[in-house]
Every structure is written in structure tokens, then in C-alpha cells.
Amino acid sequence: MVMKWTAVCLVALALLGSFCDAQYWEAAPNSQKPTYQEPAPSKENHNELQQVKQTFEKSLTWTYPAPPPPEPVVEVPFEMRYPVPAATVAVDCREKIAHVEVKKDMFGIGQLINPADLSLGNCGAVAEDSADQVLIFESELHDCLSTLVLSEDALIYTFTLNYVPQPVGPSPVVRTSQAAVYVECHYPRKHNVSSLPLNPLWIPFSAVKVAEEFLYFTLKLMTECLRYERPSYQYFLGDTITIEAVVKQFFHIPLRVYVDSCVATLSPDASSSPRYAFIDNYGCFIDAKLTGSDSKFLVPTEMNKLQFQLEAFRFQGAESGLLYITCHLKATSAAFQTDSQHRACSWINGWKEISGADATCGSCESGGSGTGSGPSTGGLGDPMEAGSWGGRKIRDTSQMHEWEADITLGPVFVEERKLN
């Protein structure tokens, strides 16, 4: 009971003290009031506050970066190369049929065509030579949509070789363009009658031209880039003499030229002495094997041209330094394959043929020494003409038509190198 009354008394005293303080501050309004913080605004009046735009003491100086300067123009040594017609179609006009051969690399760009895309008129290929990548067409003269035109002296049968490429696989693209090649066979309308037995009337035009054909062969010196004829015939020991053999095709079927043999002499007479045969035995370049030089045949870019490189030399004891080079050249139809008598073999740690048919060089080991005084094994005799060009009529064989000539190039001056 006493505790209860004690608590009541304490509460009363506290209330009385609070009342006395309030009375005191009212009585003394000028006295300093206690400080207190103003309560933070509640969420209800938060939207009533005014927003103030932020300002900066310094203005902004950033700008967009300047565009890059143009790149300097560099002069590039560029020359536009235009494609040249590829000699990939050959025709053999026989007595009753036209025999046409077409390389699968028809455009000469390394892109083989699909045989189904090529036709002779409305006739497809009758055979394919997979080794040489050649398509073969044969047609009677009046078949395969051929046309006949009569001139004053000949009957002309014209065939159209049509190439229509189709997209490869599911793609819609083609890598070759359409082409049409006209193939003609000419047959004479007249025939000379003599006391000899009369030959059949239908003599192929090509056979008639065999008796009249006269092709031109040339030998010329080339520059180091192998593109131009060299204007100077002067060399020094250690130089490389680049020689190009060419057979002029004119309107003939595609031809391939070979260098059967070559000899170097001090005079235009190929049989004179001293005499050095550096190509022998039907196209064997024996100079590299005999002397350890870098002499060799070069891979041809055109079938009717053949280039080879000969390391310059002089005859021992000859003060003039003059050389005459006489070569026996031979040309055959490009349709015939390389063999032991139609080849271009170089000694490069073994016999290598420029077309890759190295087996045809097997008989090069049986050739002569290259230093004899008689005619070379390749059949080089007296030159037809002491100049850089010449020609000879065809030599008709049972297997192929062949043209040949002996051409002399020179004089070539080979000087010694001076020591300082």
C-alpha cells in the first residue's frame, strides 16, 4: 500500500515540474529558446517541393571528333590484261566425216567444262580422252545441223560448236560464258586429171593443203622478262641467253613446236669446227649434264612457242667471242601427244620433260656427247637459210603431219668479264 502511494506522488511531482517550466518560458519570451531540427517533409508533401535546374560553373567544351583525313593516293604499277583467244579447238576434215577435238579447258583459264554443256550442232561428244582432258566429236558431213556453202573452188561444210554452261550444283552461278565456235571443212570442187590414176573425188581439204603447206619458223633472242625480243646480241660470260623458237600458225590448226637439236659454231656453217651441240637426240638439253650449267627448257605459255635458256659460253682459244646458233625445229599438230621424238627434256637432277611426261626422256641417255663434228642425232643438217627465220614444206608420215626447218641465229657476241 505504501508503495502504491509513493508511485502516485512521483507522477504528480513530474506533472507539476513540466507545468512550472512552461510557465517560466512564457514569462521570459526574450530569453533564448532551445534549438531543434525541423522534421523532414513527409511523403505527402514531397511533390510540393520546387525543382531547381542544375547549373555549371564552366561551359562544356566537348565537340564531335573531326573526320579522318583522306588516305594518300598510291601509284600502283598495274596493267590491264585482256584475255587472248585460246587455241583449244581442232578439226580434222576426213573423207566423209568431220573429226573435232575440244580441250575441256576450252577458255584456257584452267576451268574444265562439263561435257554435257557442249555440243556439235545437236550432237554430243562421242568419246573423251581423260588423260589429255579432250572431248571428241565426229559427224557425217550432212549431220549435226551442218550447213553447206559452195564457193568457186570449194565446198564448205560449217558446223557450230555450242557451249551453254549450266549452274554447278545447287548454286545459281556460272564461271564461264556461253560461246559458239564455227568449225569449217573445205573440199575442192575441181581436180587436175593426168596420166596417173585418178584419185577419189572427195579428197579432204587438209590433204590438199599438205602438198602446198609452207610454215615459217623463227629463232629470236628474248629479254629477261621473256616478253620482248632483245634488241642487243651482246652478252658476257655468266649471262643467260634466252632463245624463243616460234612456228607461225596463221589460219592453220593449232601447232606445237619442238627443238630437235641445236649446235653452236663460229660461223654460219653448222657443220664447221669447232662445233658444240647443246641440244641433241630429239629435244634432250644436254648442256646442263655436260657442264653443270643451269641451261633448260621453259614451260611454254603458247603451244606454237618454245623458250629455252642457255648459259653464255665461248669456245676455248677463240678471240672473237662470236657464236652462231643453228637449231633444227619441228612442228606437229597440238593434238598429238609427247613421245620419244617429240619432247623437250632438261637435266635437273635427272631428265625432266616440260609437260611432265618424264618417261619420254628415257632415251636421252643414249644420245651423243654433243661435241662431235658430224650432224647431231636430232637430224640437224645444212641450214635452210642463214638467218633467224625460214620454213620447209610438210614431211608426210603415216602417223602424223610434220613440218621442220633448220634456222640459224647470230652472230651472238659473248665477251669476257673484266676484273678491276
Side-chain angles (χ1 to χ4, degrees):
M1 191 68 180
V2 175
M3 294 292 293
K4 180 178 181 182
W5 286 108
T6 302
V8 172
C9 291
L10 290 175
V11 172
L13 289 175
L15 295 173
L16 181 61
S18 299
F19 178 77
C20 290
D21 288 340
Q23 293 294 326
Y24 173 76
W25 289 110
E26 276 187 31
N30 298 328
S31 60
Q32 185 177 4
K33 294 183 180 181
T35 59
Y36 63 94
Q37 293 182 352
E38 186 177 354
S42 61
K43 293 182 178 180
E44 288 76 5
N45 58 2
H46 177 73
N47 295 331
E48 297 178 2
L49 298 179
Q50 296 182 353
Q51 296 182 356
V52 180
K53 184 178 180 181
Q54 185 180 5
T55 59
F56 299 93
E57 295 181 359
K58 296 181 179 180
S59 58
L60 296 177
T61 58
W62 182 88
T63 59
Y64 285 99
E71 296 183 359
V73 179
V74 180
E75 293 185 3
V76 179
F78 174 77
E79 180 181 357
M80 187 63 184
R81 296 182 179 180
Y82 295 93
V84 296
T88 56
V89 179
V91 59
D92 182 14
C93 299
R94 301 175 182 175
E95 183 176 351
K96 295 182 179 181
I97 66 173
H99 178 90
V100 181
E101 296 184 359
V102 184
K103 289 187 177 180
K104 294 184 70 175
D105 184 12
M106 185 175 175
F107 294 90
I109 58 176
Q111 186 77 24
L112 301 183
I113 64 174
N114 183 3
D117 297 339
L118 185 65
S119 62
L120 184 67
N122 59 349
C123 302
V126 297
E128 178 178 350
D129 186 349
S130 57
D132 291 337
Q133 298 292 341
V134 173
L135 298 176
I136 300 174
F137 298 83
E138 285 189 351
S139 170
E140 296 284 343
L141 297 178
H142 297 280
D143 292 343
C144 298
L145 304 180
S146 66
T147 59
L148 172 61
V149 176
L150 278 72
S151 65
E152 183 178 355
D153 300 322
L155 302 174
I156 304 174
Y157 289 89
T158 303
F159 298 85
T160 304
L161 197 63
N162 296 306
Y163 174 64
V164 182
Q166 300 297 323
V168 180
S171 66
V173 300
V174 293
R175 301 195 182 277
T176 52
S177 57
Q178 294 187 11
V181 180
Y182 295 101
V183 178
E184 294 184 353
C185 283
H186 294 227
Y187 297 91
R189 296 181 61 184
K190 301 177 182 180
H191 189 86
N192 294 327
V193 179
S194 66
S195 59
L196 298 176
L198 182 62
N199 291 330
L201 178 61
W202 294 106
I203 300 177
F205 183 75
S206 60
V208 175
K209 295 303 292 181
V210 161
E212 304 173 357
E213 196 65 78
F214 190 87
L215 298 181
Y216 286 90
F217 294 83
T218 61
L219 276 180
K220 56 185 178 180
L221 300 177
M222 303 298 291
T223 58
E224 294 180 358
C225 67
L226 309 178
R227 297 174 54 191
Y228 307 105
E229 184 174 0
R230 196 174 193 267
S232 174
Y233 277 46
Q234 183 177 5
Y235 292 89
F236 293 91
L237 289 177
D239 290 346
T240 298
I241 303 175
T242 302
I243 303 175
E244 182 179 77
V246 182
V247 55
K248 296 292 186 181
Q249 293 189 156
F250 300 105
F251 298 103
H252 202 276
I253 61 174
L255 298 174
R256 182 177 282 111
V257 65
Y258 298 94
V259 180
D260 261 9
S261 56
C262 284
V263 297
T265 55
L266 294 176
S267 70
D269 184 4
S271 61
S272 62
S273 183
R275 179 176 181 276
Y276 175 53
F278 53 88
I279 298 178
D280 206 352
N281 196 17
Y282 300 109
C284 298
F285 210 145
I286 60 177
D287 180 67
K289 186 175 183 181
L290 293 176
T291 66
S293 67
D294 292 329
S295 301
K296 60 181 179 294
F297 286 106
L298 302 179
V299 178
T301 56
E302 300 179 49
M303 290 183 294
N304 67 317
K305 296 181 180 180
L306 180 60
Q307 296 175 336
F308 57 93
Q309 292 180 331
L310 173 66
E311 192 170 315
F313 64 89
R314 291 164 59 101
F315 283 104
Q316 186 176 9
E319 300 296 335
S320 63
L322 297 182
L323 293 178
Y324 287 87
I325 297 174
T326 304
C327 295
H328 182 77
L329 307 184
K330 185 166 56 180
T332 62
S333 171
F336 293 106
Q337 298 182 357
T338 302
D339 57 26
S340 60
Q341 295 187 4
H342 304 84
R343 58 191 177 182
C345 299
S346 303
W347 177 262
I348 308 174
N349 296 325
W351 289 109
K352 307 291 183 182
E353 214 280 331
I354 55 174
S355 66
D358 298 340
T360 61
C361 301
S363 60
C364 285
E365 294 293 337
S366 62
S369 63
T371 58
S373 60
S376 63
T377 310
L380 179 64
D382 295 334
M384 173 175 297
E385 185 172 344
S388 62
W389 64 271
R392 180 173 294 173
K393 292 184 180 181
I394 189 172
R395 180 163 61 91
D396 194 2
T397 66
S398 60
Q399 296 181 349
M400 66 175 67
H401 299 316
E402 191 173 277
W403 295 261
E404 56 187 4
D406 297 336
I407 309 299
T408 299
L409 175 67
V412 178
F413 299 88
V414 181
E415 298 186 13
E416 297 179 351
R417 293 185 180 271
K418 304 297 182 180
L419 296 178
N420 294 330

